[in-house]
Amino acid sequence: MARQGVVFAGPTDADLWSCEISLGRALAVGHTSNVDFYRDKINALKAAGPRRSGTGRKFTRVELIEMKIARAFMASHGDNTRYLIGERAHQIALELRSGG
């Protein structure tokens, strides 16, 4: 039998989402070296071609805000990025107050 080559299916949506959440978190807390790392990683994932479907994962409200922060940053929307960083802090404070 002939061996068949392995086909690289590309990154998953979950890979990209994970990097976006990490980038948003790095931006919010001011870790500039992590910002550069995750920005480059997101660019590489997007350049790798079409993505496969991710998992049916549920995101917390903070994670969703972090994804929005990353997307605003990647699109060079500075005002939106700053606003969303404030929204993230507000959401974390609400969750801490409610014990959730």
Side-chain angles (χ1 to χ4, degrees), residues 2 7 10 13 19 34 37 39 42-45 64 66 74 77-78 85-86 89 99:
V7 176
D13 286 336
C19 287
N34 288 354
F37 172 79
R39 182 186 56 228
I42 288 169
N43 286 332
L45 286 172
L64 288 172
E66 288 167 347
M74 295 296 287
H77 295 158
I85 288 171

Side-chain angles (χ1 to χ4, degrees), residues 20 63-73 80-81 84:
E20 287 177 337
E63 287 175 329
L64 288 172
I65 293 169
E66 288 167 347
M67 288 170 73
K68 289 179 183 179
I69 290 169
R71 290 173 182 172
F73 175 77
N80 290 354
T81 303
L84 288 165

Side-chain angles (χ1 to χ4, degrees), residues 80-94:
N80 290 354
T81 303
R82 286 186 288 281
Y83 170 79
L84 288 165
I85 288 171
E87 282 297 304
R88 175 186 179 269
H90 177 72
Q91 183 62 39
I92 290 171
L94 285 175

Side-chain angles (χ1 to χ4, degrees), residues 50-69:
R51 292 183 305 280
R52 294 177 286 141
S53 297
T55 61
R57 182 176 183 275
K58 302 263 191 256
F59 297 101
T60 66
R61 290 186 56 81
V62 172
E63 287 175 329
L64 288 172
I65 293 169
E66 288 167 347
M67 288 170 73
K68 289 179 183 179
I69 290 169

